[in-house]
Amino acid sequence: MRARYPDQDGYVELDGVKIFFEVFGSGEPTILFLPSWSIVHARVWKMQVPYLARHYRVVTFDPRGNGRSDRPLEPDAYAEREFAADASAVMAETGTDTAVLVSLSLGAQRALLLAAEQPERVLGAVFVAPTVPLAPPHPWRTGFPFDVRLDTDEGWAKFNKHYWLRDYRGFLEFFFSEAMNERHSTKQIEDCVGWGLETTPHVLIATAERPEIEEEDFEELCARVRCPVLVIHGERDAISPQSRGAELARQTGGELVTIGGGGHLPHARDPVKVNLLIREFVDRVHPSAPRMHRWVRGRSRRKRALYISSPIGLGHARRDVAIADELRHLHPDLDIQWLAQSPVTRVLQERGESIHPASHLLSSEVEHIDGESAEHDLHCFQAWRRMDEILLANFMVFHDLVTQEDFDLWVGDEAWELDYYLHENPEQKRAAYAWLTDFVGWLPMPDGGDREAFLTADYNAEMIEHIARYPRVRDRAFFVGTAGDIVPDRFGPNLPLIREWTQAHYSFTGYITGFDPAEFADRPAIRDELGYRPDERVCIVTVGGSGVGEHLLRRVMAAYPEAKRRIPELRMVVVAGPRIDPGSLPTREGLEVRAYVPQLHRHLAACDIAVVQGGLTTCMELTANRRPFLFFPLRHHFEQNFHVRHRLERYGAGRRMDYETAAPEAIATAIAEELAREVIYQEVEPDGAAHAARMIAEML
């Protein structure tokens, strides 16, 4: 899934070479993102396009040699003037008279050509990590001939055509590890290696053997640049030294922003800062309609909180509205605004909560999760990693909102993008911030092998470093549960124990059900109100707020005839939820299929047994109401398989089932056995929402 898809795309053709372009957004001015070396294509700008396209018109195009553009093999086809001609043709085809150019690395050379030779079309130029020979290269990049077979493959000796033909992937992994030498850059490196694999070493060899602009010509080009210039360069750039960016800024009269500790691709590794720098620059060179601001004196402001509730599952919404109710009890004048997306917004709308209009700008996380799902399988950790573009786009929505409006408090319930990018950009914190989660620690799935074990440990280590370096970002961190609910594992080799570290850095709320189990003490009355007869054995089947549970629904529905034979009084009610079309499910006589059911927890409290996925909220609602249930953790969903399973074992609740081995007959047998078994669960804390609200209220 992409955070934003183009409004227009197409091709232009120059001398038989087709160039693919995309257009996003509308209005003035246009930002033209130029391609870099053909080792990557236009998706290298994926962290910039969604944000900037909300404010301007954005055009990108794939370089000849990669993406959906053609791949000629003649070196002359990759001369810088060919790329500049491609840019001019794309501008003409998209009706772009003028644009702000944004270039990366080698793209600086084609940007210089355009700015110097077509000044009437260039409003301004942003150069990110420019690779221009205005200053000497790094010494470690010299002394290795490109076209001679070498006796060593060490270091920059890999920048060699013979090595590329022998181990192309090895070169890509080396090159991008050098390009992003910042710690914890695994995902960005993987992206770039993947994009590099979309072309061939033969194409890359042609680009390396292209005719080059003479070094003395660069000074002449710089002297002809008349537009405003911004240069962004990492001080630890191992590909093109920062001195080159500094000299480019000096010779063009531009502004230089140095990213301290940054590498060659700051737009990927520090996208928030780069996005804001680009936007500020564009607004300077092309002032649009004046922005309207209203400022209210501090003592005249009503207390306001911005609540960000994770859309992955409906459980966050239920506990968050319970906390919000308790906060309003403690602060009756508190205005709570929700930055939320479907399906959370459905719960909020039913409760009459105030959903901020900026919510419609959020990119769908649930659609991404659905797209990552297979048959009862969701590799939760990898799906989250691949959601980086969406998470950054949603953080930028949050950033714009809190820049324009004042809030006293931010509450993020597993709002991962908020927590991550605030720690990456701590200067953006401007309100009290409360963080909530019901699990701590990414854990590897066994079949992920050493690679997944390394990646999860790396992500955990980055989080630990964030908290150690910037403890002031989270004013309070809350674990929804007790210390015993935390898994007894390590974050990774040479990293702390998860339970001990969490006890040192979190406050504990107890579990938050969003209801008091005492409300359902009179089950016969609840059943009568919901339409369930005393002589029925009611089985509720539900799989949460995403679409990944459809296969489980079908499997349990197939078990219904055998279950009905064993339990003649059985009534099975299947809840499709907000992401599954009830009409797509099979029909069977005596089997009820319902769409989204408001206040589903009341039906779960009234049922005789439930069949569910392994999501924490539904399982804990059943545990709190002492209802028997079968739960089927999703394959590769580390949270359900480790964190939730550990917690349920502690409460002695539920019967874990394996989807792969549980045929319909086995499910029917398990339903009958659990209905006949006495329920003995540990009691669930009843006042978690009030406890959490009291601690959060102290921040107001």
Side-chain angles (χ1 to χ4, degrees):
M1 292 292 296
R2 295 169 69 169
R4 177 163 184 158
Y5 287 88
D7 300 298
Q8 175 193 352
D9 60 34
Y11 290 88
V12 294
E13 186 171 333
L14 288 86
D15 299 326
V17 178
K18 290 194 299 183
I19 304 298
F20 178 77
F21 66 83
E22 294 182 327
V23 182
F24 306 80
S26 60
E28 293 292 339
T30 293
I31 300 176
L32 176 63
F33 282 99
L34 296 173
S36 180
W37 186 18
S38 300
I39 198 170
V40 293
H41 49 66
R43 287 286 286 152
V44 76
W45 299 112
K46 70 175 190 175
M47 297 301 229
Q48 283 65 57
V49 169
Y51 174 62
L52 295 171
R54 284 200 287 111
H55 300 285
Y56 318 104
R57 181 172 178 261
V58 170
V59 178
T60 67
F61 66 97
D62 290 336
R64 45 181 64 213
N66 206 326
R68 283 182 273 185
S69 293
D70 284 348
R71 291 157 172 72
L73 293 177
E74 304 79 19
D76 286 351
Y78 295 97
E80 286 304 311
R81 291 196 179 277
E82 297 295 335
F83 285 100
D86 293 342
S88 295
V90 167
M91 290 179 72
E93 183 67 20
T94 58
T96 304
D97 296 325
T98 60
V100 176
L101 307 180
V102 181
S103 63
L104 169 67
S105 188
L106 193 61
Q109 300 191 16
R110 52 216 60 158
L112 272 177
L113 286 170
L114 289 168
E117 298 180 352
Q118 301 182 46
E120 73 284 355
R121 306 188 72 180
V122 180
L123 298 171
V126 179
F127 296 90
V128 180
T131 299
V132 288
L134 295 171
H138 289 300
W140 55 79
R141 293 205 58 182
T142 61
F144 299 109
F146 176 70
D147 56 356
V148 175
R149 193 181 302 274
L150 302 174
D151 294 331
T152 178
D153 290 339
E154 294 300 316
W156 280 97
K158 291 182 171 70
F159 201 95
N160 176 273
K161 66 185 296 183
H162 302 285
Y163 183 81
W164 294 1
L165 292 170
R166 186 171 70 256
D167 186 3
Y168 180 52
R169 185 186 186 101
F171 166 70
L172 295 174
E173 291 173 346
F174 164 77
F175 179 79
F176 287 116
S177 295
E178 291 288 300
M180 284 171 284
N181 48 18
E182 302 94 336
R183 286 169 55 82
H184 311 300
S185 298
T186 56
K187 179 56 170 63
Q188 294 87 349
I189 292 170
E190 282 183 20
D191 279 347
C192 289
V193 170
W195 297 329
L197 290 171
E198 292 187 38
T199 190
T200 69
H202 301 88
V203 168
L204 218 60
I205 289 168
T207 68
E209 295 178 338
R210 75 195 188 287
E212 295 191 12
I213 301 174
E214 297 295 330
E215 290 190 18
E216 57 270 18
D217 291 340
F218 282 101
E219 293 190 4
E220 189 267 338
L221 289 171
C222 288
R224 293 166 58 191
V225 172
R226 295 290 178 265
C227 66
V229 167
L230 169 66
V231 178
I232 304 170
H233 213 128
E235 71 172 358
R236 296 183 62 245
D237 187 333
I239 306 298
S240 183
Q242 190 266 355
S243 56
R244 288 178 165 180
E247 187 61 19
L248 176 62
R250 188 188 71 79
Q251 292 196 26
T252 58
E255 175 187 0
L256 173 67
V257 175
T258 299
I259 305 294
H264 187 58
L265 303 180
H267 73 295
R269 199 57 187 85
D270 294 293
V272 173
K273 183 62 177 178
V274 172
N275 287 353
L276 296 177
L277 287 171
I278 293 173
R279 187 180 177 196
E280 291 164 4
F281 177 79
V282 173
D283 284 350
R284 286 201 305 271
V285 303
H286 189 282
S288 55
R291 297 180 189 174
M292 305 301 292
H293 294 281
R294 180 174 182 266
W295 183 80
V296 179
R297 297 186 68 248
R299 292 183 63 185
S300 300
R301 296 175 191 168
R302 181 182 177 187
K303 289 181 181 178
R304 300 184 79 211
L306 182 65
Y307 214 125
I308 302 95
S309 181
S310 170
I312 310 303
L314 289 172
H316 305 96
R318 286 199 42 74
R319 73 182 179 212
D320 290 336
V321 294
I323 293 171
D325 284 345
E326 296 290 344
L327 279 173
R328 281 186 284 249
H329 176 73
L330 297 170
H331 289 275
D333 63 334
L334 180 63
D335 172 23
I336 299 178
Q337 296 287 316
W338 296 81
L339 186 63
Q341 55 184 284
S342 178
V344 169
T345 48
R346 191 159 185 172
V347 175
L348 300 178
Q349 287 165 347
E350 290 168 356
R351 289 290 306 268
E353 297 286 342
S354 180
I355 302 170
H356 196 282
S359 297
H360 82 276
L361 299 172
L362 296 171
S363 298
S364 177
E365 297 175 25
V366 174
E367 287 183 9
H368 171 83
I369 293 298
D370 286 351
E372 291 275 344
S373 304
E375 182 177 343
H376 200 72
D377 192 355
L378 173 62
H379 204 309
C380 183
F381 172 66
Q382 296 294 353
W384 184 84
R385 292 182 80 231
R386 288 189 285 266
M387 195 160 61
D388 57 344
E389 174 185 356
I390 291 172
L391 294 172
L392 185 277
N394 289 344
F395 177 81
M396 298 308 298
V397 171
F398 164 83
H399 169 273
D400 283 0
L401 171 56
V402 299
T403 301
Q404 296 159 5
E405 299 184 23
D406 294 308
F407 293 93
D408 300 277
L409 171 69
W410 304 333
V411 183
D413 185 351
E414 294 190 13
W416 300 104
E417 70 279 17
L418 174 60
D419 197 66
Y420 179 80
Y421 285 110
L422 282 177
H423 281 92
E424 287 284 282
N425 302 269
E427 70 279 0
Q428 298 298 331
K429 182 178 184 290
R430 49 174 60 87
Y433 168 46
W435 162 255
L436 292 92
T437 185
D438 53 40
F439 80 92
V440 176
W442 305 97
L443 296 175
M445 297 304 298
D447 61 1
D450 292 343
R451 177 62 178 170
E452 183 159 317
F454 165 76
L455 289 175
T456 52
D458 184 68
Y459 272 59
N460 289 333
E462 184 176 32
M463 180 271 296
I464 291 169
E465 291 168 17
H466 276 159
I467 303 305
R469 176 63 184 87
Y470 292 108
R472 61 182 171 82
V473 169
R474 294 178 180 174
D475 291 279
R476 294 289 295 270
F478 301 100
F479 184 84
V480 181
T482 66
D485 294 325
I486 304 169
V487 294
D489 298 274
R490 285 192 179 276
F491 285 109
N494 302 315
L495 293 175
L497 289 166
I498 296 175
R499 184 176 296 172
E500 290 181 2
W501 186 90
T502 304
Q503 287 178 293
H505 293 88
Y506 279 76
S507 300
F508 294 87
T509 67
Y511 192 71
I512 301 172
T513 60
F515 60 82
D516 184 349
E519 300 172 19
F520 307 109
D522 189 352
R523 287 187 63 243
I526 298 292
R527 287 172 65 95
D528 182 65
E529 179 187 343
L530 296 176
Y532 300 128
R533 299 194 310 271
D535 59 345
E536 294 176 326
R537 308 299 297 277
V538 178
C539 175
I540 303 290
V541 185
T542 180
V543 292
S546 75
V548 67
E550 181 175 345
H551 295 283
L552 177 58
L553 289 184
R554 292 176 179 274
R555 179 78 60 85
V556 179
M557 293 170 79
Y560 174 69
E562 175 61 18
K564 181 73 171 176
R565 187 188 68 79
R566 290 167 175 264
I567 312 158
E569 66 274 23
L570 182 68
R571 177 180 176 182
M572 183 175 284
V573 179
V574 175
V575 181
R579 301 287 299 176
I580 300 172
D581 178 11
S584 69
L585 298 174
T587 58
R588 296 180 184 273
E589 184 178 355
L591 185 65
E592 300 175 43
V593 179
R594 301 184 186 180
Y596 173 74
V597 175
Q599 296 188 314
L600 179 62
H601 67 285
R602 303 183 76 241
H603 294 261
L604 293 173
C607 75
D608 295 287
I609 191 169
V611 183
V612 300
Q613 271 180 196
L616 179 64
T617 300
T618 305
C619 289
M620 288 301 293
E621 287 176 353
L622 291 161
T623 302
N625 285 308
R626 300 181 180 276
R627 298 290 86 214
F629 62 97
L630 313 179
F631 67 99
F632 292 75
L634 289 167
R635 287 193 300 259
H636 295 110
H637 195 305
F638 78 91
E639 184 185 357
Q640 293 186 5
N641 282 279
F642 300 127
H643 293 280
V644 177
R645 178 180 174 182
H646 167 78
R647 193 181 300 224
L648 293 178
E649 287 175 350
R650 192 175 79 80
Y651 281 91
R655 175 171 174 174
R656 184 174 62 88
M657 302 285 287
D658 182 357
Y659 177 84
E660 290 197 56
T661 60
E665 295 77 11
I667 295 173
T669 300
I671 290 173
E673 290 175 350
E674 292 306 304
L675 278 171
R677 183 173 297 152
E678 181 183 4
V679 172
I680 304 174
Y681 298 160
Q682 179 177 318
E683 184 178 357
V684 176
E685 307 82 9
D687 60 347
H691 186 42
R694 285 193 296 271
M695 291 188 286
I696 294 172
E698 295 172 3
M699 300 162 62
L700 286 166

